[in-house]
Amino acid sequence: MSIKKQVRRKTQTQPYLLSGDVLPGLKPFACQEIKNRYPSQVVLQPSDDPASIYFHYTGELQELFSLRTVVAVYLVLRFPIPRPRALLGHQQYQQVLQGIKEVRLLHHIATFSGLRISAAGENSSVFAQLKEQLSQDTGLPVIEEGDLLLRVRPASILQSGWEVLIRLTPRPLSTRPWRVFNMKGALNATVAAAMIELTHPDPTDRFLNLMCGSGTLLVERLQRCPAAVAVGCDLNTEALQGAQLNLERGGVARNVLLFASDATDLPFLPGTFTALCADVPWGQLTGSHQANKTLYPQLLSEAARLAAPHARFILLTHEITLFEDVLQQFSDVWKMQEAIKIFQGGLHPRIYVLQRATTETRSGIFPFSGV
């Protein structure tokens, strides 16, 4: 029996302690996803940290690579030691080395190109010695952008001690392999995944992504489950070309309609769509505050026209005051179900969950043949 097969058998019977990075505000989504995916294999551990999840897991570690609302997953090694210097001791060091070996066995032999340690005081003589020793024993150079990432920090779920976290993948899970076209200011994929969950995705959905950009929401929606219809529109033709590439790489380009159009004036019948999403301009990287004063009411009006009764419209913006002021003007057609504060890149945008009020507008028939 090969070593790799032995490791896989071990993951099915012995629990690992794992940690997941999450964006603050999205922790409930990540916890729910983990519980839904692995109901008999996961025991969540209490943690007050809004940016991380701890859980015990029995199963194939590779299965965790498909998590959508988690930024990155780490193998956690706990050490009841007073300071990091003790990691150089034989017993502790061998545990770290074994953890690295288990992570590397999850991938092809040449997957990792370099080693990196992230820790307070990482430039100290202790960490310099630890890096040098690990480099010798793993055959990986220590480089600034090393993709085999180790984090060393005081234990989070113990009263004392330290922990070493070894990332299971060379890149964060949020760095999706389908993203071959990376547009400046493109939506974080874990945020997109959470937004998609808020639509309550169903195979019968008629899904519209207003101002779709490079297609993050479209790819996340269609990888989550099929849709009866999926449409993305944007005025930026370069972004649409990139969206097509991303959809193709994600394996979900079939039956997606992309077209260049103003999101405030779309060629669809009233009530056509049952689920809508938009990452609207925040007035920073894209758009402006002054332009948003006109755009936001026009967008909410057009979305209301296109939405079927009870349709959900999930929208992300950092223009909080402006958007909420505009939303009050549409209280007869859009009912706000929830506003979720998140933290991303030093900003605090919000995800708004809106539901179309019941009206006499009948559900439209999709006006394009063959879709």
Side-chain angles (χ1 to χ4, degrees):
M1 182 182 293
S2 71
I3 293 177
K4 193 166 186 177
K5 288 182 179 178
Q6 290 175 4
V7 171
R8 286 183 174 174
R9 177 169 292 181
K10 179 181 177 183
T11 61
Q12 295 172 1
T13 59
Q14 299 183 19
Y16 283 105
L17 178 60
L18 301 170
S19 176
D21 286 345
V22 296
L23 291 178
L26 298 187
K27 185 171 180 176
F29 294 89
C31 289
Q32 193 61 53
E33 181 186 11
I34 290 170
K35 288 191 292 185
N36 288 347
R37 282 178 176 251
Y38 320 106
S40 63
Q41 297 172 301
V42 163
V43 178
L44 292 171
Q45 301 298 302
S47 171
D48 295 329
D49 185 351
S52 66
I53 301 170
Y54 284 85
F55 57 100
H56 283 101
Y57 172 76
T58 54
E60 295 281 355
L61 291 175
Q62 293 95 331
E63 294 294 324
L64 301 170
F65 297 173
S66 61
L67 287 170
R68 310 182 71 83
T69 55
V70 178
V71 174
V73 181
Y74 299 80
L75 175 65
V76 181
L77 306 176
R78 301 179 296 181
F79 300 96
I81 56 177
R83 57 187 63 87
R85 179 177 294 277
L87 294 173
L88 293 168
H90 178 75
Q91 182 177 351
Q92 290 82 6
Y93 179 77
Q94 289 301 316
Q95 284 183 252
V96 174
L97 204 60
Q98 178 60 32
I100 291 173
K101 181 183 294 186
E102 291 190 46
V103 168
R104 296 182 77 181
L105 283 171
L106 302 175
H107 305 272
H108 295 299
I109 191 168
T111 296
F112 294 98
S113 59
L115 176 74
R116 175 162 55 107
I117 292 181
S118 173
E122 61 190 66
N123 295 320
S124 67
S125 59
V126 169
F127 282 109
Q129 187 177 349
L130 183 60
K131 292 174 188 177
E132 181 181 2
Q133 189 64 49
L134 286 173
S135 180
Q136 290 179 9
D137 291 332
T138 62
L140 294 172
V142 177
I143 54 178
E144 186 174 349
E145 299 299 322
D147 47 14
L148 182 60
L149 173 62
L150 279 70
R151 296 165 65 184
V152 181
R153 65 189 186 190
S156 300
I157 56 176
L158 294 175
Q159 292 183 346
S160 62
W162 288 75
E163 59 189 23
V164 176
L165 286 71
I166 308 171
R167 194 170 66 192
L168 297 186
T169 53
R171 300 191 303 171
L173 300 180
S174 58
T175 307
R176 303 290 204 246
W178 55 256
R179 198 187 289 278
V180 292
F181 179 87
N182 195 8
M183 187 176 176
K184 185 177 181 180
L187 182 60
N188 180 290
T190 57
V191 176
M195 292 174 67
I196 293 304
E197 288 305 310
L198 288 165
T199 68
H200 301 167
D202 185 271
T204 63
D205 285 341
R206 301 189 300 275
F207 178 78
L208 173 63
N209 183 190
L210 298 155
M211 312 176 84
C212 68
S214 55
T216 302
L217 282 162
L218 283 167
V219 179
E220 291 297 317
R221 171 59 185 83
L222 295 170
Q223 287 193 341
R224 172 64 172 78
C225 75
V229 169
V231 176
C233 65
D234 203 289
L235 281 173
N236 186 331
T237 55
E238 181 185 1
L240 289 174
Q241 292 171 357
Q244 182 65 34
L245 293 174
N246 287 335
L247 286 160
E248 291 173 358
R249 179 62 180 269
V252 291
R254 182 181 299 179
N255 294 332
V256 178
L257 175 64
L258 295 175
F259 65 103
S261 179
D262 186 342
T264 65
D265 184 19
L266 295 170
F268 302 105
L269 297 177
T272 294
F273 297 98
T274 59
L276 304 88
C277 278
D279 173 20
V280 300
W282 297 2
Q284 293 165 322
L285 283 178
T286 57
S288 68
H289 174 71
Q290 193 63 34
N292 285 345
K293 289 181 178 181
T294 301
L295 172 64
Y296 282 14
Q298 290 180 343
L299 189 69
L300 284 174
S301 177
E302 180 68 348
R305 184 184 73 83
L306 296 173
H310 304 297
R312 292 169 76 84
F313 182 18
I314 315 302
L315 182 147
L316 177 72
T317 183
H318 191 255
E319 279 261 46
I320 306 303
T321 302
L322 173 61
F323 179 76
E324 293 187 356
D325 286 346
V326 171
L327 186 60
Q328 289 181 4
Q329 303 170 25
F330 291 84
S331 59
D332 58 332
V333 290
W334 287 119
K335 305 301 180 183
M336 188 171 75
Q337 305 295 308
E338 193 175 3
I340 301 166
K341 300 177 183 179
I342 63 175
F343 180 79
Q344 178 191 355
L347 300 174
H348 294 80
R350 293 185 189 180
I351 301 172
Y352 288 90
V353 181
L354 310 181
Q355 188 165 40
R356 182 69 165 89
T358 302
T359 69
E360 295 181 358
T361 302
R362 67 181 181 86
S363 179
I365 300 173
F366 199 80
F368 291 94
S369 63
V371 179

